[in-house]
């Protein structure tokens, strides 16, 4: 079992839909959680970063962490075609070693 | 402010050859990490350099090596290439080792091994 599991998709939604992207992780030592967005032929870019359980909002994006169930989510409201990309969750433990990434979920938002 | 620059962007090699990839981090960033990205395995950590010293290494064979120069630029080398080495190699820089996890990635070097 990989340490971070993520459904590869693709997830296809119409413009304006609410999107839910999810990851599960197995190592309870993971304390910090991130979402990266990767457009085709580009490197990943940091989208959201959170430490504690609960929600963190930034514009149309909300990151949610539930450490008790080892489940992290990214919600995108009013999705746009420009949101079409691969979304990678990533995590690392306290004291930092290296980031562990999920394989990414491809999101396609159609006009 | 210039981002992370990786060269070359695309390259094709044959089995048994070796390849060297280059990465110039964001100005002022002293930590450089390398990742291999494939459809099957996703992003896998290769190694991290900070102040010219390798600080962490992933689970890759010794054919994969790297180094960092005094100006923080980094190179990675893969010797005796195998078909399975075909991948996107991503370099990421950060201000310091063990930062907040905010890595700034380059656009990658796409290696095809024939």
């Amino acid at each position: 079992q990989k340490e971070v599991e993520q459904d590869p998709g693709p997830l296809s939604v119409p413009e304006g839909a609410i999107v839910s992207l999810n990851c599960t992780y197995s190592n309870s030592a993971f304390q910090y959680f991130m979402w990266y967005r990767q457009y085709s032929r580009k490197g990943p870019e940091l989208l959201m970063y959170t430490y504690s359980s609960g929600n963190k909002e930034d514009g149309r994006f909300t990151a949610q962490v539930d450490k008790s169930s080892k489940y992290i989510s990214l919600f995108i409201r009013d999705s746009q075609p420009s949101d079409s990309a691969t979304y990678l969750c990533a995590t690392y433990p306290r004291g930092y070693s290296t980031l562990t990434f999920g394989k990414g979920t491809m999101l396609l938002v159609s006009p | 402010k210039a981002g992370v620059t990786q060269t070359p962007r695309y390259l094709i090699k044959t089995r048994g050859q070796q390849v060297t990839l280059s990465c110039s981090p964001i100005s002022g960033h002293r930590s450089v990490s390398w990742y291999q990205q494939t459809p099957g395995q996703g992003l896998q950590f290769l190694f991290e350099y900070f102040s010219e010293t390798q600080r962490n290494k992933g689970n890759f064979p010794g054919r994969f090596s790297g180094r960092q120069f005094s100006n923080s630029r980094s190179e990675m080398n893969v010797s005796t290439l195998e078909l399975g080495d075909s991948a996107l190699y991503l370099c990421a820089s950060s201000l310091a080792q063990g930062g907040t996890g905010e890595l700034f990635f380059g656009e990658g070097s796409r290696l095809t091994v024939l």
Side-chain angles (χ1 to χ4, degrees):
Chain A
Q1 180 193 13
K2 279 188 71 70
E3 287 190 294
V4 180
E5 299 277 1
Q6 194 174 2
D7 188 325
L11 175 62
S12 295
V13 301
E15 182 176 357
I18 296 175
V19 175
S20 173
L21 302 166
N22 308 295
C23 284
T24 59
Y25 62 95
S26 57
N27 190 344
S28 58
F30 290 142
Q31 298 290 322
Y32 301 86
F33 306 92
M34 284 135 284
W35 284 95
Y36 279 80
R37 178 176 62 195
Q38 185 175 21
Y39 289 113
S40 179
R41 302 188 183 279
K42 299 288 186 182
E45 57 178 339
L46 183 65
L47 198 58
M48 298 282 286
Y49 164 74
T50 184
Y51 165 70
S52 58
S53 284
N55 294 352
K56 181 177 182 179
E57 191 173 317
D58 184 1
R60 297 185 295 111
F61 299 90
T62 300
Q64 187 176 79
V65 176
D66 182 348
K67 290 184 178 180
S68 62
S69 58
K70 299 187 179 68
Y71 196 83
I72 55 178
S73 301
L74 178 70
F75 299 97
I76 307 174
R77 292 185 299 279
D78 187 24
S79 57
Q80 303 294 310
S82 58
D83 295 328
S84 297
T86 296
Y87 291 80
L88 302 137
C89 60
T91 179
Y92 65 97
R94 191 187 304 274
Y96 184 77
S97 53
T98 62
L99 285 179
T100 299
F101 283 87
K103 289 185 181 181
T105 298
M106 180 182 293
L107 171 66
L108 302 171
V109 182
S110 54
Chain B
K1 196 174 188 180
V4 177
T5 304
Q6 291 188 245
T7 56
R9 290 290 314 280
Y10 301 92
L11 65 166
I12 299 174
K13 294 285 187 178
T14 57
R15 280 180 298 174
Q17 287 187 309
Q18 74 165 14
V19 66
T20 298
L21 309 177
S22 179
C23 172
S24 293
I26 292 172
S27 177
H29 285 194
R30 297 170 61 190
S31 175
V32 173
S33 300
W34 287 90
Y35 288 82
Q36 181 195 66
Q37 188 175 34
T38 60
Q41 298 298 318
L43 270 163
Q44 292 187 287
F45 173 75
L46 282 157
F47 24 68
E48 178 191 6
Y49 286 88
F50 181 80
S51 294
E52 303 178 63
T53 301
Q54 188 180 92
R55 302 291 176 149
N56 279 298
K57 190 178 190 308
N59 189 25
F60 278 82
R63 299 185 298 106
F64 293 80
S65 63
R67 59 178 174 169
Q68 186 180 35
F69 302 95
S70 58
N71 61 359
S72 295
R73 192 177 70 85
S74 177
E75 289 181 347
M76 68 162 283
N77 184 76
V78 187
S79 62
T80 318
L81 284 166
E82 301 178 358
L83 295 178
D85 297 334
S86 294
L88 180 67
Y89 290 87
L90 289 160
C91 166
S93 74
S94 60
L95 273 171
Q97 182 194 9
T100 61
E102 182 164 14
L103 300 178
F104 295 85
F105 284 88
E107 295 191 331
S109 293
R110 185 166 295 280
L111 171 65
T112 301
V113 182
L114 303 176

